[in-house]
Amino acid sequence: MADTQQVDESKQAARAERKAARLAKEIGAFAREHGGAEGQIAYLGQKGARIVLVGEDGGWGDLVAPTHAVALSAVEKSGITVHEDFDGDFAAKVRTGPYEWTRMAGIQLGGPKNA
């Protein structure tokens, strides 16, 4: 029984490592496309953790990791700066465009529809 448990834990650890490496690769691609990037990890409960990325050009995006540990490993591997909170100067770097504004307004009662 103990051997089976060790094998399962070993497989899970290898899976988590591969997922972190894939996420780090995606973070690196985002950073190259946007002239650099910074991030913040947000806890999503049982669903895992969200890695919010903000590029030097104001572009933004996010990735979801299965666990906070995988998210932390991914950002460490990518080498980006990670913030504790999404506020202040970090949040001010985000640039939104017409799509985001119409989408946010469309959520409001009577707002324009997002086509």
Side-chain angles (χ1 to χ4, degrees):
M1 184 81 155
D3 290 338
T4 304
Q5 185 176 5
Q6 287 177 340
V7 170
D8 287 343
E9 289 173 2
S10 176
K11 284 182 180 180
Q12 288 176 346
R15 224 177 286 139
E17 184 62 30
R18 286 192 304 271
K19 181 65 175 177
R22 282 192 301 271
L23 288 169
K25 188 175 178 180
E26 291 181 56
I27 293 168
F30 178 90
R32 284 188 299 278
E33 184 177 325
H34 295 278
E38 298 176 46
Q40 190 261 338
I41 300 173
Y43 180 66
L44 295 176
Q46 289 182 334
K47 296 204 182 265
R50 172 172 281 132
I51 305 167
V52 180
L53 302 169
V54 179
E56 288 301 314
D57 64 357
W60 59 278
D62 66 347
L63 298 167
V64 176
T67 66
H68 188 272
V70 170
L72 189 58
S73 178
V75 295
E76 287 173 353
K77 288 176 186 301
S78 71
I80 65 168
T81 299
V82 180
H83 297 269
E84 290 291 321
D85 297 307
F86 194 83
D87 59 7
D89 293 335
F90 179 52
K93 289 183 177 186
V94 175
R95 298 291 173 249
T96 55
Y99 171 79
E100 289 85 5
W101 283 104
T102 58
R103 180 144 172 93
M104 287 186 278
I107 293 172
Q108 303 300 317
L109 185 62
K113 300 286 186 219
N114 188 27

